[in-house]
Every structure is written in structure tokens, then in C-alpha cells.
Amino acid sequence: MKISLFEVEQWEREKFDDLSGENDISYFKEPLTAENAGEFSDTEIISTFIHSDLDKTTIEKLPDLKMIATRSTGFDHIALDECNEKGVVVCNVPRYGDNTVAEHVFGLLLTISHNLRDAIDRTRKGDFSQEGLQGFDLKGKTIGVIGTGDIGEYVIRIAGGFGMKVLAYDVKPREELAQELGFEYRDNIKDVISGAEIITLHVPANDKTKNMISREEFDAMKDDTILINTSRGSVVNPKDMIEALASGKLKAAGLDVLPEEPVIREEAELLHSAFKEEHDMETLLADHILLRLRNVIVTPHSAFNTCEAVIRILDTTKENIDAFIEGSPENVVNEINKSPVGG
Ligand code: NAI
């Protein structure tokens, strides 16, 4: 098989040395994009992280493509309809970082609750005063968990260790888990939002979750709520979030993800991309405002990025590619309309 792996570091490459069968494997540090896709027109299997453009235009430029192995849980960056139509099997890494992302959630939350950013900035300047540094305890607070899948579950487990109460919302509630871990579901998302001091989001990005947290949900919040988002940027309406921060509904936000994130990753790209129709100028502007607010902390989609989690991602991706080559694909996330072209 002709296999191309994108966004791979040198040390990650040896993981793929002993893939099943006879293969011609190429590695690239850069992402796959609509612009460079033409150079890989004979590739049959691709593996990327989330910064490659796996949109319709790119996939159309890969006529021999049979499989995409994304090295992520989320697959909202892939044009699944196009893959379904062309019989391209798409596989993800469903469980690699439940604890990893959940630990990052509490990293963001503790940074806010203990004013860690200001405290650290201050001591670096030789200033050891306490002025303005008073934070708040997590113990006794209620955390609202939206999405109680693998990551949400781990967040609930950790919240228990802090002595927090948990309210949860999910389209598929797991009542047995609620009994085991001692938390409560609410049938309506607003009942969770209005009953919590801290809200954390763990739903996938799709049409149903787009702007799931918008003006109405912000209005339902208590004053001074803390919002943590490590899911995907599209789940929160950024303009409404800025208004909520201004009105005091939100005291602070900890964000590992932003809408239009791939574009704002490169500041220099802003001017260039702002003129492309597919990017929403208002959303880009909102992102840039959020990046500069003192009560918003942003990490660069790094919640997954621990040594242990990355090794788990690479191991599962190799197993996904092997399983496809051997004819029994695993962790398939799409429903193809015709038989796969091979493998
Ligand atoms: P999961 O699939 O185990 O759980 C998602 C949960 O959301 C499920 O329980 C599902 O029923 C629920 N859900 C789906 N649609 C919903 C809706 N409309 N309303 C309420 N609940 C809904 O996924 P997992 O592993 O917990 O990951 C969640 C998301 O976290 C991923 O889809 C991905 O976007 C993001 N993620 C972010 C990472 C980062 O580095 N920031 C790393 C890994 C995942």
C-alpha cells in the first residue's frame, strides 16, 4: 500500500516501521492541505492529526484514497459525506486520553480558581504581594458536565476527589454510572447550566452541538460562572461568550479550543484568510478578543498532549492501519455508501 503520514515528528515515525504487508511509506512534518494534495494523488492510506485540511477539495485530489486514519478522537475536520460517497474508510482513536484531557480541564480550572497566571507572573518580577490574588475553593462547588462520554466520565471522577457536586446532561444518560459515581442528570441542559458554578463541555462537534452554548444558555447561568471548553470551539458561540464575560454572567473561561482555530493558529495568516469566504470574519475577530481578555485563558489545543497519550494515539493508529490492510477495519466512524476500494 502507498501510505502517507502527515504532521509526524521524527521520533514518531519508527512506530510505523513494521506495518502489515508490503508498503511504501512516506512521512511529512507538514499538514496535508488542499494546496499540496495534488502531490499525493497516488496515495492509498493517509494518516493526519487535526491540522490537515481533509475537506472535499483535498479528498477529490486523492483519487486512489482508500483509508484515512486520523490520529484524534474528533473527526469533525474530515468531509465524511465525501468519504462515504467515495468508499473511503475513516478510522479514529476513540480512547486515548480520557484522563489526559480531564486532567487538563482541572489544570485550566485551578489556574482560574487560584489565579495562578497572575501569581506566577508576579513572583517572576520579584513581587510577593497577595493583592488581588484571592481565589476560591473547588470543594463544595457544583460542576455541570455537558457530555458524559469517556472524557466527561473522567472529569466526574476527578471532581469527586475535589469534593465537588456534579450535575450532568447528555443525550444518552448513563444512569448506572450516575449511581456508581453519585451524580445527577438533568433532562434539560439549562437545568444543569443554571444549577452549577462551573460548566465543562465534552460533546463532539457536529450540527447538533454547533453553538450549543449561546445567548440563551449564557442567560440561564448564575452570575460569575466559570466555563471550561476542551471539546471543540464550534460548541460555544464566541460573540455571545464575549457578551457574557462583559455582563458578568461569566467570571472567567478556560479554553483549549476556539472556533476558526486552524486559522488563528498563525497570526500572519489572519489577513490572508480573512478574505476567504469560508472563514467568518466576525468569529475570527471574536477569537482575537478572547485571546486578549485577562479573565480568559487559552491553551493551543494541547489538552491531549502528554507523552503517554501521544504514544497511545500512535499505537492505536498503527493498529487501525494494520486492521484495514488485513481487511477488517476497526474504529470506523463513517458509513460508506459503496464497498471500500480495497484492503
Ligand atoms: P465520547 O464520544 O466518549 O463522549 C461524547 C458524549 O457526548 C457522549 O456521551 C454523547 O452521548 C454526548 N453527546 C453527543 N451529542 C450530544 C448532544 N447534542 N447533547 C448532549 N450530549 C451529547 O467522546 P470523548 O472521548 O469524551 O470526547 C469528547 C470530545 O472531546 C471529542 O469529540 C473531541 O471533540 C474532544 N477532544 C478534545 C481533545 C483536546 O485535546 N482538546 C482531545 C480529545 C477529544
Side-chain angles (χ1 to χ4, degrees):
M1 287 270 183
K2 175 95 181 151
I3 304 174
S4 304
L5 290 100
F6 298 87
E7 304 176 72
V8 271
E9 299 294 333
Q10 194 66 39
W11 72 269
E12 297 174 314
R13 300 179 184 191
E14 65 192 46
K15 282 273 173 196
F16 298 92
D17 280 351
D18 59 344
L19 278 169
S20 299
E22 293 281 309
N23 303 302
D24 173 4
I25 309 178
S26 308
Y27 300 97
F28 305 93
K29 196 171 184 333
E30 63 270 18
L32 174 65
T33 63
E35 283 76 32
N36 67 16
E39 297 167 33
F40 308 102
S41 56
D42 59 346
T43 202
E44 296 169 281
I45 295 178
I46 57 172
S47 176
T48 71
F49 185 51
I50 54 165
H51 301 125
S52 289
D53 297 331
L54 295 175
D55 54 14
K56 190 167 184 283
T57 317
T58 305
I59 289 164
E60 276 173 352
K61 290 183 180 174
L62 304 172
D64 293 341
L65 189 63
K66 297 178 177 62
M67 185 220 187
I68 299 174
T70 183
R71 300 196 301 283
S72 59
T73 302
F75 43 86
D76 47 290
H77 56 298
I78 305 173
L80 283 192
D81 287 347
E82 188 67 13
C83 293
N84 294 347
E85 199 48 48
K86 290 185 67 179
V88 175
V89 173
V90 180
C91 301
N92 77 337
V93 183
R95 292 193 78 140
Y96 68 86
D98 317 343
N99 68 298
T100 310
V101 177
E103 287 171 22
H104 196 87
V105 166
F106 283 88
L108 292 169
L109 185 50
L110 288 166
T111 303
I112 292 168
S113 69
H114 277 258
N115 281 315
L116 290 181
R117 184 179 54 183
D118 288 349
I120 293 164
D121 282 354
R122 190 171 293 193
T123 54
R124 278 181 193 277
K125 291 179 199 142
D127 176 356
F128 280 71
S129 69
Q130 293 288 334
E131 181 120 11
L133 287 188
Q134 192 166 75
F136 59 90
D137 283 354
L138 297 186
K139 185 178 175 188
K141 298 286 186 306
T142 300
I143 185 165
V145 179
I146 312 298
T148 55
D150 297 332
I151 296 170
E153 174 185 336
Y154 224 98
V155 165
I156 294 169
R157 289 181 186 278
I158 297 176
F162 279 100
M164 303 177 85
K165 294 176 202 149
V166 178
L167 286 178
Y169 172 74
D170 196 298
V171 280
K172 291 185 191 155
R174 297 160 69 193
E175 292 299 348
E176 275 184 25
L177 185 74
Q179 284 201 347
E180 182 198 331
L181 300 183
F183 69 92
E184 288 177 30
Y185 279 105
R186 295 283 183 267
D187 294 336
N188 189 318
I189 189 171
K190 285 205 195 118
D191 292 342
V192 172
I193 283 173
S194 60
E197 283 89 34
I198 296 146
I199 294 161
T200 182
L201 307 176
H202 303 292
V203 291
N206 57 37
D207 290 346
K208 292 204 173 103
T209 60
K210 188 170 168 57
N211 290 330
M212 191 180 193
I213 308 295
S214 290
R215 183 183 300 265
E216 270 187 42
E217 288 71 29
F218 284 116
D219 285 348
M221 288 177 190
K222 296 182 184 188
D223 287 345
D224 288 335
T225 294
I226 311 289
L227 177 69
I228 306 291
N229 188 11
T230 57
S231 61
R232 286 290 185 266
S234 61
V235 176
V236 182
N237 181 315
K239 286 173 274 172
D240 295 346
M241 177 158 41
I242 291 169
E243 277 185 31
L245 285 157
S247 73
K249 275 289 176 188
L250 275 189
K251 181 187 179 76
L255 311 174
D256 188 47
V257 286
L258 290 167
E260 296 287 0
E261 184 182 309
V263 184
I264 59 162
R265 271 161 50 85
E266 290 299 331
E267 185 86 33
E269 217 193 312
L270 176 65
L271 276 177
H272 166 69
S273 57
F275 295 103
K276 287 189 189 170
E277 272 178 23
E278 68 261 34
H279 298 302
D280 173 3
M281 190 59 184
E282 277 193 7
T283 305
L284 282 167
L285 186 61
D287 280 359
H288 278 265
I289 293 169
L290 288 169
L291 283 167
R292 278 156 186 77
L293 289 176
R294 278 308 287 175
N295 53 349
V296 177
I297 51 169
V298 181
T299 49
H301 203 137
S302 56
F304 73 95
N305 194 1
T306 65
C307 177
E308 293 83 352
V310 171
I311 287 171
R312 287 193 290 267
I313 291 173
L314 295 173
D315 286 344
T316 305
T317 302
K318 179 190 175 285
E319 286 161 20
N320 283 347
I321 297 175
D322 271 340
F324 177 80
I325 292 172
E326 284 160 16
S328 48
E330 288 169 5
N331 300 319
V332 178
V333 296
N334 62 333
E335 289 175 20
I336 45 187
N337 298 340
K338 59 181 185 184
S339 302
V341 197

